[in-house]
Amino acid sequence: MAGRFIAVDSGRAVLESPDLELLDWTCLRLVYQITGSGSLHLHLRPEDENFDYALWSSSMPSDSWVIASVDLRNTTSSYKILMEGGPGRGAGNSVAIFEIHIVPGYCIECNFEEHHLCGYSNQWNPNVNWYVGGNIARDPQSNLPDDHTMNNDRGHYMYVNSIYAKKFQEVAKLSSPMTTTPMVGCLAFYYQRDQERGNLFSVFTKDQLGHYEEIWRPEVYATSHWKLVQVDIKAPHPLEVVFEVAFNSPRGGFVALDDISFSPEFCDTETEPTFDPTIANCDFEEGFCRYYQERAEGSVWSRVSVKPNVYRIGDHTSGTGFFLMANTRFTSRPGYVGRLHGPILPENLRYCLRFHYALHGFRKVDNALAVYVYDDNNVAQEKVWSLSDASRDIWIEVDITYQKPMPTKVVFVSICKNFWDCGLVALDDVTVNVGDCRVAAGMARSLPGQCDFEFGNCGYTQVKKGDMGDWLRIRGHTPTSYTGPKGDHTTGVGYYMYLEASHMLTGHSARLLSSELRGSAVPQCLLFYYHMYGSGTGQLSLFLWREEGGHHPRESLLWRRQGEQSISWMLGMVDYTCEDRHQIVFEAIRGPSIRSDIAIDDVVFKKGPCADPGDSTPYSGFSENFNEIEY
């Protein structure tokens, strides 16, 4: 490629944009090349936050330049774009950037006049492919049209022709760049179609998991001029738009495509607005939200809370809040059926349902908890989940992806046939999102400043100097009995960080240090879960460290708890402001006995201040009544 470019061939290098304030939706196009091994990452750096947001990344090597297209949403505050190149070690590896364009509009839009074709790509097939049409010395036999944009033979469009089709149903696919942010609105394009012997033309969306969904196919057999198509599109997750043509013979005609555009307004006034699935979310702190029980069955599900204590786990949300429990009041009846109904959700959407459950004291768990999807006539359509394991006294996360052609609701069912076999089943933190759970989980993992320790330490490091112990990343029980959690806070079966007290002496400490934070004039909110259970539990503190000349950081105490707190994971919440570069330190000090395991999980930094915790005030010390359950 002629001209100049910028490259990095060893180490890591970051290219920083000037301050950008984009009041309208824009598209960042990057022409780049990764030679050998290496990676290129794009980040967005808001001016008033501690963290950079990952926008896009690639580690795919290529023999020539490649184009990346990244949507930049409109915003009222300024930010910078960071481009981080990291070639692999050794000779011959490099990352180069040839062009950077920030253009108004959506990345999915294209009139095919530019040499890079807006990042649209052709899935190569030896016989039929999408080609650039127009502005060429055309075969006089060809009946291909003039371009739509300029309405003459100097403009460009994309076309696919059947003359080289050899096999039955040969397919040509033209794919848009993958969207990088949710998009809702009207997709418009022009097409022209000649069908001498037959071709099939359709438009699909394709998500990151490879799921295709047809959104349009033509009603007319052929067109003699450019025809406008408008299709409403709702993209809660990243997806590509794929224009696909299949031919049955070398005389199947052609399809031409031009002037793809997108508007944030729906094309059709009848189109339902984007559905907000959060109506089905509930943490039961303020009540039942939109969940209800069948009157005939009575109130099998009760809303309860447990004061922090060492015998009974509290709620999943904060450790001191409310959750639902089936079978709380002992009665003389032989058993019960308890159905908890959620709100009605629209049809034909893929939903991701997440919730946490906990079991206590069951002999048999066959019918303790199951999840059904009912239609709006109260008819069960499918049992989408049932209990398979019997872990006790720990909150377990469940996620279920489902899709139905009719309006539906989720129903949680707990059945007890013989009362003496039935223990307590608890439910908390129900959320519903549109889209596949696997896509949603991937997007959540990419959020900055959030760490659940499921895939590593997220940049947290041990402070070795002066420390006499270590923070360890484990899953399941800690090794010492009667101390530490039975499982992590995130899923119940995942990872967390903890201080193993048995190898330390009383008063010894271990410190876990966050990666360096940029600092901001705006208050920041730090949320985390901590676990301090055991008769010899010591002390957990949070410090703010900032460098002040030399190598000795200045530290200030942000938060502290001492002694046994609860058998539950408890929510910690800290507001702080620091305009300089700084780090957060979790310091655990071993108590008087080996039953002093201290754990942390699910650390989240976000723009503050923190939400008012309401009744779930920070708590320290013992409960007066160990088995206190409040209704």
Side-chain angles (χ1 to χ4, degrees):
M1 185 170 174
R4 296 178 182 276
F5 58 90
I6 188 166
V8 53
D9 53 16
S10 64
R12 300 190 81 74
V14 177
L15 190 63
E16 190 176 286
S17 77
D19 280 327
L20 304 171
E21 191 169 333
L22 303 174
L23 300 173
D24 296 311
W25 196 296
T26 48
C27 177
L28 170 68
R29 292 202 202 287
L30 196 67
V31 181
Y32 72 96
Q33 183 176 357
I34 298 172
T35 305
S37 67
S39 61
L40 179 59
H41 299 269
L42 256 63
H43 295 274
L44 184 144
R45 174 170 287 178
E47 65 175 351
D48 55 0
E49 292 189 42
N50 269 326
F51 288 93
D52 302 331
Y53 288 78
L55 288 176
W56 172 91
S57 66
S58 178
S59 55
M60 289 285 292
S62 66
D63 296 332
S64 62
W65 57 267
V66 191
I67 184 162
S69 302
V70 180
D71 284 298
L72 302 175
R73 304 184 68 136
N74 44 344
T75 175
T76 50
S77 55
S78 68
Y79 57 82
K80 288 182 166 70
I81 301 290
L82 275 62
M83 295 158 215
E84 181 186 9
R89 288 184 179 173
N93 298 323
S94 69
V95 177
I97 295 174
F98 298 98
E99 296 177 32
I100 301 166
H101 300 275
I102 296 181
V103 294
Y106 297 78
C107 289
I108 211 167
E109 299 186 298
C110 199
N111 61 13
F112 303 108
E113 301 303 327
E114 302 288 330
H115 66 89
H116 50 60
L117 305 182
C118 319
Y120 274 75
S121 60
N122 173 53
Q123 182 178 309
W124 182 253
N125 176 321
N127 299 324
V128 295
N129 284 284
W130 286 91
Y131 294 104
V132 180
N135 197 14
I136 47 175
R138 284 190 303 206
D139 178 352
Q141 307 294 313
S142 162
N143 56 352
L144 287 170
D146 282 348
D147 153 77
H148 175 266
T149 318
M150 301 181 185
N151 199 23
N152 60 33
D153 61 6
R154 286 196 295 277
H156 297 94
Y157 54 88
M158 298 301 288
Y159 77 96
V160 58
N161 207 330
S162 63
I163 51 175
Y164 299 110
K166 292 195 168 65
K167 300 196 289 279
F168 181 70
Q169 285 272 358
E170 292 217 61
V171 175
K173 290 183 180 179
L174 182 72
S175 299
S176 77
M178 180 77 75
T179 61
T180 52
T181 187
M183 283 172 46
V184 175
C186 178
L187 174 72
F189 60 89
Y190 287 85
Y191 81 97
Q192 210 173 129
R193 186 178 185 211
D194 165 63
Q195 270 206 320
E196 191 181 348
R197 285 282 178 82
N199 60 60
L200 299 172
F201 178 33
S202 45
V203 181
F204 298 86
T205 57
K206 179 187 173 189
D207 67 19
Q208 289 167 310
L209 298 172
H211 294 146
Y212 283 89
E213 186 177 332
E214 187 176 78
I215 57 172
W216 178 84
R217 63 172 47 199
E219 294 170 358
V220 291
Y221 187 70
T223 62
S224 57
H225 54 273
W226 288 103
K227 185 173 175 62
L228 172 65
V229 173
Q230 293 182 307
V231 187
D232 283 325
I233 201 165
K234 298 174 183 177
H237 297 318
L239 47 78
E240 297 171 9
V241 176
V242 182
F243 297 87
E244 183 178 291
V245 179
F247 295 110
N248 289 338
S249 78
R251 299 184 63 186
F254 69 84
V255 173
L257 175 70
D258 205 359
D259 291 344
I260 301 167
S261 61
F262 187 84
S263 160
E265 305 293 322
F266 284 129
C267 351
D268 187 349
T269 53
E270 299 293 306
T271 300
E272 293 281 332
T274 311
F275 174 66
D276 180 6
T278 59
I279 64 162
N281 291 3
C282 199
D283 60 11
F284 306 106
E285 297 306 308
E286 304 295 325
F288 275 77
C289 308
R290 297 199 181 196
Y291 288 80
Y292 62 93
Q293 303 187 65
E294 291 183 12
R295 283 187 186 159
E297 294 169 357
S299 297
V300 172
W301 291 95
S302 303
R303 182 171 159 265
V304 304
S305 79
V306 176
K307 287 277 191 277
N309 68 61
V310 295
Y311 291 143
R312 187 61 70 60
I313 59 168
D315 79 316
H316 181 263
T317 319
S318 67
T320 59
F322 287 85
F323 57 100
L324 294 192
M325 192 180 272
N327 180 22
T328 46
R329 296 201 171 110
F330 289 89
T331 62
S332 57
R333 58 187 176 162
Y336 62 82
V337 177
R339 293 182 182 89
L340 182 72
H341 296 251
I344 296 286
L345 306 177
E347 68 274 17
N348 293 325
L349 288 174
R350 189 174 285 132
Y351 291 109
C352 172
L353 165 70
R354 277 202 172 84
F355 62 91
H356 286 81
Y357 75 90
L359 298 176
H360 182 74
F362 274 90
R363 286 193 203 172
K364 295 178 183 173
V365 297
D366 300 354
N367 298 301
L369 187 62
V371 180
Y372 289 82
V373 172
Y374 278 47
D375 66 16
D376 51 354
N377 294 317
N378 237 14
V379 177
Q381 293 295 314
E382 185 186 356
K383 185 181 191 176
V384 290
W385 178 85
S386 58
L387 201 56
S388 56
D389 63 60
S391 300
R392 302 289 196 279
D393 298 318
I394 183 169
W395 286 105
I396 304 281
E397 184 188 65
V398 176
D399 59 38
I400 302 161
T401 301
Y402 72 94
Q403 183 172 3
K404 294 291 174 203
M406 73 287 285
T408 54
K409 59 183 174 181
V410 168
V411 180
F412 295 92
V413 182
S414 180
I415 301 172
C416 173
K417 290 177 181 167
N418 177 349
F419 202 83
W420 303 110
D421 289 336
C422 301
L424 304 173
V425 57
L427 179 69
D428 203 3
D429 293 343
V430 183
T431 64
V432 176
N433 290 295
V434 173
D436 194 293
C437 289
R438 290 171 294 174
V439 175
M443 291 172 76
R445 275 203 294 277
S446 67
L447 288 171
Q450 300 194 7
C451 189
D452 56 15
F453 302 107
E454 295 306 307
F455 296 92
N457 292 354
C458 313
Y460 283 84
T461 52
Q462 305 276 347
V463 181
K464 289 297 182 190
K465 191 175 178 182
D467 278 11
M468 304 299 287
D470 286 318
W471 285 91
L472 305 174
R473 177 176 165 267
I474 66 158
R475 67 201 300 182
H477 283 264
T478 59
T480 311
S481 59
Y482 301 107
T483 184
K486 291 186 176 182
D488 75 319
H489 179 264
T490 321
T491 64
V493 294
Y495 288 87
Y496 58 93
M497 298 294 288
Y498 91 106
L499 174 81
E500 171 54 59
S502 53
H503 306 302
M504 301 167 66
L505 299 177
T506 303
H508 281 177
S509 67
R511 284 167 292 175
L512 189 68
L513 191 59
S514 74
S515 53
E516 191 173 67
L517 307 176
R518 209 168 48 245
S520 164
V522 175
Q524 301 295 312
C525 172
L526 170 56
L527 302 166
F528 61 97
Y529 285 85
Y530 62 97
H531 198 282
M532 298 175 73
Y533 160 61
S535 55
T537 302
Q539 177 176 285
L540 177 64
S541 307
L542 248 73
F543 294 100
L544 177 84
W545 275 14
R546 70 182 101 184
E547 293 289 340
E548 284 206 339
H551 298 289
H552 298 289
R554 194 177 105 206
E555 67 178 43
S556 45
L557 179 67
L558 296 177
W559 180 97
R560 176 170 283 165
R561 290 289 176 273
Q562 193 155 5
E564 183 172 55
Q565 303 292 308
S566 173
I567 199 170
S568 296
W569 283 99
M570 306 287 284
L571 174 63
M573 210 182 279
V574 177
D575 278 303
Y576 77 94
T577 304
C578 182
E579 298 190 35
D580 309 319
R581 288 193 168 274
H582 63 282
Q583 290 170 286
I584 297 292
V585 183
F586 290 89
E587 182 191 73
I589 296 178
R590 195 249 206 209
S593 83
I594 61 167
R595 295 196 169 90
S596 180
D597 292 348
I598 293 172
I600 60 168
D601 200 6
D602 293 346
V603 183
V604 177
F605 289 85
K606 60 182 187 180
K607 199 154 88 172
C610 297
D612 180 4
D615 292 336
S616 55
T617 45
Y619 175 87
S620 184
F622 290 95
S623 166
E624 294 298 314
N625 178 347
F626 279 149
N627 255 343
E628 189 174 0
I629 292 186
E630 292 188 350
Y631 295 96

